[in-house]
Amino acid sequence: MARVRQAVIPVAGLGTRFLPATKVVPKELLPIVDKPTLQYVVEEAFASGIEHVVLIQGRGKSAIEDHFDTSYELEDTLDKRGKSAEAEMLRKISRLGQISSVRQKVALGLGHAVLSAKAVIRDEPFAVLLGDDLYRTAPDKRPGIGQLMDAFAETGLGQVALMTVPKDEIHKYGAAEGASEGPHRFRISALVEKPPKGTEKTDKAVVGRYVLPPDIWAILEATKPGKGGEIQLTDALDVLRERQGLMGVIVDGRRVDAGDKLGFLEANLLEALGRPELKDGTVALMRQLIAEAERA
Ligand code: UTP
């Protein structure tokens, strides 16, 4: 079975939930403490064994490309000012791995964004990581997408990341019906994009990581616009499931949706609490803010 070597990261959405911040800056470049969201996602891909990342770009393309490119003048200035640790940190970003980009000219939906990578990825299985979705995993665990790559190596079937959510929140997600096959494996029997409230049949939500066989290209090409007039990846995945089966991986880790306002705040607080130099200050600040909010 072909190994998963390449990853597609769509970053061409309009980011309407973060306007006006995303008027000029793509939401995937908004920082979680001091590092752009997208850098965490790209690092997760390379740490999982991906060799080539394909970014699906829309507006703000040059800022994203510049972030992962060498910045000779800045590095040189930092070196001259004795800030060699900072200069080295920047050099490491440009050496993370091979990154290419493809343009999605119009944001017609996630399915359409993934399809834009067809000519680059071609005839091999590939990973998809959403550029605003973060997975925090323990240091001794495989990163989020790595867990899906392992599951694909076991079965050869397409894999989607799943998260258990309260049933009354499933209407916000792609919903996966099916049955558990062990603590982290789930056989999917139906996929529904954002099921209307009251129709929910599952508490398993599809979240931001996928490993897909190349058969998905023909399916995406035939997928008509669905919910919201967008070409939905979920609709194409349901056809893939019907034709060859589809598995879910309940990822061992914590997923945070940094493309949502509260999720973005959560991601920042979690990252700050995970850094020794910021932990105590963050806890003190949170305590103070909670006390103030309760008095108000
Ligand atoms: P989202 O739905 O979270 O992104 O898509 P969005 O459309 O930018 O968000 P809002 O709702 O307007 O705030 C998940 C990921 O897929 C990308 C987005 O950039 C994001 O990383 N995406 C979405 C595309 O690349 N192209 C699209 O047409 C849609």
Side-chain angles (χ1 to χ4, degrees), residues 76-146:
D76 189 51
T77 307
L78 289 169
D79 277 330
K80 285 189 178 132
R81 294 191 183 171
K83 297 199 175 287
S84 51
E86 286 83 352
E88 189 47 31
M89 176 175 66
L90 297 189
R91 282 186 198 103
K92 275 194 183 144
I93 301 173
S94 56
R95 291 189 206 125
L96 279 170
Q98 194 195 351
I99 302 177
S100 320
S101 63
V102 168
R103 191 94 188 212
Q104 183 193 19
K105 294 203 178 90
V106 197
L108 292 180
L110 184 55
H112 180 257
V114 172
L115 182 57
S116 314
K118 179 184 170 194
V120 181
I121 301 283
R122 296 154 68 112
D123 194 25
E124 54 179 89
F126 61 99
V128 178
L129 298 88
L130 298 196
D132 59 350
D133 229 35
L134 295 173
Y135 262 108
R136 298 177 63 87
T137 42
D140 60 331
K141 291 268 158 27
R142 285 270 280 157
I145 194 65

Side-chain angles (χ1 to χ4, degrees), residues 216-233:
I216 198 73
W217 300 130
I219 301 175
L220 279 170
E221 276 164 346
T223 302
K224 300 263 175 317
K227 285 255 159 69
E230 296 195 336
I231 298 180
Q232 296 286 354
L233 182 61

Side-chain angles (χ1 to χ4, degrees), residues 188-190 219 235-246:
I188 297 174
S189 61
I219 301 175
D235 294 343
L237 291 175
D238 203 40
V239 176
L240 181 73
R241 173 199 62 75
E242 227 166 62
R243 292 196 187 157
Q244 46 180 249
L246 183 69

Side-chain angles (χ1 to χ4, degrees), residues 10-17 27-28 104 107-110 113 130-132:
V11 292
L14 298 179
T16 47
R17 283 169 290 174
K27 76 170 159 182
E28 293 80 2
Q104 183 193 19
L108 292 180
L110 184 55
L130 298 196
D132 59 350

